[in-house]
Amino acid sequence: HLSGKLSSKAERACSAMMNADMDAVEAENQVELEEKTRLINQVLELQHTLEDLSARVDAVKEENLKLKSENQVLGQYIENLMSASSVFQTTDTKSKRK
């Protein structure tokens, strides 16, 4: 009868140790899952930030091309005005002296 009491105590102790081990593994898995979830969320946030930055770069490139084109038109217009104006005409001083 004593051996039956010892074996049931041993079984309970063994079961308690197994439950503790399982609880520890479950807690470790929970921590790993939370860390993975945090990292996934961080990656998704960084992807969205990258998409936003890429869109902004594209918009700035487009605006830059537009401004370059406008500058060329304005430069040509100013050049035409200068060539049509007597103020900017080159003078030949030798022919005026004669």
Side-chain angles (χ1 to χ4, degrees), residues 28-56:
E28 187 177 319
N29 287 342
Q30 183 65 29
V31 168
E32 286 180 10
L33 180 61
E34 288 172 1
E35 179 67 10
K36 285 179 183 179
T37 301
R38 187 186 68 76
L39 289 173
I40 288 170
N41 288 335
Q42 189 176 10
V43 166
L44 291 173
E45 184 179 334
L46 289 170
Q47 283 178 336
H48 290 133
T49 301
L50 180 59
E51 289 170 1
D52 292 345
L53 288 172
S54 292
R56 178 70 178 130

